[in-house]
Amino acid sequence: MTGRPRTIWLVAGEDSGDQLGAKLMRALREAAPDTVFGGVGGEAMAEAGFASLFPLDDVAVMGYLPVLARARTLLRRIRETVSATIRARPDVLVIIDSPGFTHAVARRVRRAAPGIPIIDYVSPSVWAWRPWRAKGMRPFIDHVLALLPFEPDAHLRLGGPPCTYVGHPLIERLPELRPGADERGRRDAVPYSLVVLPGSRRSEIERLMPVFGAALARVAEGLAVEAVLPAVTRHRALIERLSADWAVPVRIVTGEAPKYAAFREARAALAASGTVTLELALAGVPMVVAYKVSRAEEFIARRLIQVPSIVLPNLILAENAMPEFVQADCTPERLAGALRPLLAGGADRDVQLAALGRIDGRMRLAAADTPSRAAARIVLRAAEGRGPGPAA
């Protein structure tokens, strides 16, 4: 580290990676104030003082058809990112999630400049589907920073790169998720507050909202319930329309702060499978999880997905503590049957609350540590030549 400042190259591919990158930048500056950054990021990283090579929107594309439609732009941005990285010769390259874009960059950088250590911040879901990707990462990834505690074992089992659990970013938001005394009291108040989360994609919402509404009508036959629906702003009108004739009172909220406020007061939740189930688990909200996809997607998923549960808290606990209802099992009758005891109280609710209480122990980091600091330590070790060398 002589003759020039420490240089760390960060390459994100979408908004969630941008948020992780901004937190990582702050942790790196805290530990090494003279660090210089470059690469690709978005608004959050820009607010932290990052100058992106190009707008993040150029590569933040999801789904096969949108990717095909913008293939020319994506390939150009991949080439530009690789060229800029090679010219900069950073002490370490950190790719952040979005493997379709970031792994394409990492492969090309490794071929052209094999001496640059490459760290992958956020493991692809190799434990869930396409497990052969883990071994395929070894030639161009030196270390994986995992958000979920079971991922290091998965990479070891599948022959992937060295992998370290650094913690999920939600750990840094526990004060926003945990209820205060008044909010805990509200969880026991009638009418019971049920938070309903039909997903963030239009297709998810259109498939699940009718089923969720019919399930709540059955629950409301014996219990006083009100529904709180946190909505993505762009889908609020759709959710308002689909919940207009529900048999229970409905309150729609937008924004993250109102969503977390609803979690802190919720007696239970009915949720689509996704990261939101981990948010609910950390907030201590008992839940029923559901999911439906098209027949074509179901056909593909049955052949590729290799996990005993689609619910993240269940995978973290290594037990199916949160009931899940997928495809043909996702019916109003089954959802209502699982929700009633969570709302009314009793053995089923107590068992799930006890399981939720074990989540912290599985996800805990060292005292006073945070995911960003844990990740920053490994990145700095690699930048200083003390981490794992380029993969063989």
Side-chain angles (χ1 to χ4, degrees):
M1 298 297 299
T2 60
R4 69 182 183 98
R6 178 188 293 103
T7 304
I8 295 177
W9 215 245
L10 306 175
V11 175
E14 60 184 47
D15 290 341
S16 59
D18 176 46
Q19 295 291 332
L20 279 175
K23 292 176 181 177
L24 179 60
M25 285 177 64
R26 286 191 283 270
L28 286 165
R29 282 207 179 104
E30 182 181 287
D34 62 340
T35 300
V36 173
F37 297 100
V40 180
E43 291 182 7
M45 291 168 68
E47 289 174 5
F50 189 86
S52 181
L53 295 170
F54 48 78
L56 188 63
D57 286 347
D58 285 4
V59 295
V61 185
M62 294 183 65
Y64 293 114
L65 292 179
V67 167
L68 285 173
R70 297 178 65 180
R72 185 172 295 180
T73 298
L74 286 167
L75 288 171
R76 185 177 78 252
R77 292 310 198 190
I78 288 168
R79 289 193 298 269
E80 291 171 358
T81 305
V82 172
S83 295
T85 305
I86 294 167
R87 286 196 305 271
R89 292 281 168 169
D91 297 294
V92 62
L93 166 63
V94 182
I95 60 171
I96 309 174
D97 209 356
S98 305
F101 170 64
T102 63
H103 283 204
V105 170
R107 286 190 195 94
R108 289 162 172 79
V109 170
R110 177 49 48 89
R111 285 198 296 266
I116 298 174
I118 301 177
I119 291 179
D120 192 353
Y121 192 5
V122 183
S123 171
S125 301
V126 294
W127 38 268
W129 68 297
R130 294 166 58 196
W132 58 87
R133 290 178 296 166
K135 191 172 183 179
M137 291 165 60
R138 286 190 67 91
F140 63 95
I141 299 294
D142 300 311
H143 207 106
V144 177
L145 307 182
L147 305 190
L148 299 170
F150 57 82
E151 289 178 321
D153 285 344
H155 274 277
L156 183 63
R157 184 179 71 253
L158 296 170
C163 179
T164 302
Y165 171 60
V166 297
H168 198 283
L170 285 173
I171 294 173
E172 299 182 39
R173 308 194 67 175
L174 288 179
E176 300 171 67
L177 288 163
R178 298 286 162 83
D182 290 344
E183 291 162 327
R184 282 195 296 272
R186 176 68 185 89
R187 287 183 170 183
D188 296 327
V190 178
Y192 294 130
S193 179
L194 176 70
V195 66
V196 179
L197 300 135
S200 58
R201 297 186 179 94
R202 186 180 186 90
S203 59
E204 294 173 328
I205 294 166
E206 289 176 336
R207 285 195 184 96
L208 290 175
M209 283 287 285
V211 183
F212 283 9
L216 294 194
R218 286 167 169 77
V219 170
E221 291 171 2
L223 292 169
V225 177
E226 61 181 17
V228 182
L229 276 79
V232 177
T233 302
R234 67 181 179 277
H235 295 318
R236 178 169 184 139
L238 174 65
I239 288 173
E240 287 176 343
R241 175 169 61 81
L242 293 175
S243 63
D245 61 352
W246 280 14
V248 300
V250 174
R251 178 166 59 93
I252 298 172
V253 300
T254 54
E256 201 158 73
K259 180 180 81 169
Y260 284 176
F263 287 6
R264 293 193 300 269
E265 294 187 346
R267 173 87 172 165
L270 175 58
S273 175
T275 303
V276 73
T277 60
L278 185 54
E279 293 176 305
L280 290 166
L282 291 170
V285 182
M287 72 192 82
V288 172
V289 182
Y291 209 66
K292 294 186 81 170
V293 296
S294 68
R295 289 186 178 180
E297 290 171 311
E298 180 184 15
F299 178 82
I300 295 169
R302 287 189 183 279
R303 284 152 180 78
L304 293 179
I305 294 178
Q306 304 180 10
V307 284
S309 173
I310 62 168
V311 183
L312 279 177
N314 285 346
L315 293 173
I316 290 167
L317 291 167
E319 59 179 287
N320 285 2
M322 290 77 199
E324 57 192 274
F325 300 91
V326 182
Q327 294 301 95
D329 291 331
C330 181
T331 66
E333 296 79 10
R334 287 176 178 263
L335 296 179
L339 274 173
R340 285 192 197 99
L342 296 185
L343 291 162
D348 286 357
R349 178 177 175 83
D350 292 343
V351 167
Q352 194 172 142
L353 285 171
L356 292 172
R358 295 193 290 274
I359 289 282
D360 278 11
R362 296 295 177 91
M363 299 190 69
R364 184 178 295 124
L365 299 173
D369 209 355
T370 68
S372 301
R373 290 190 188 119
R377 282 197 301 274
I378 295 173
V379 170
L380 286 173
R381 283 181 62 86
E384 294 164 0
R386 296 186 292 123

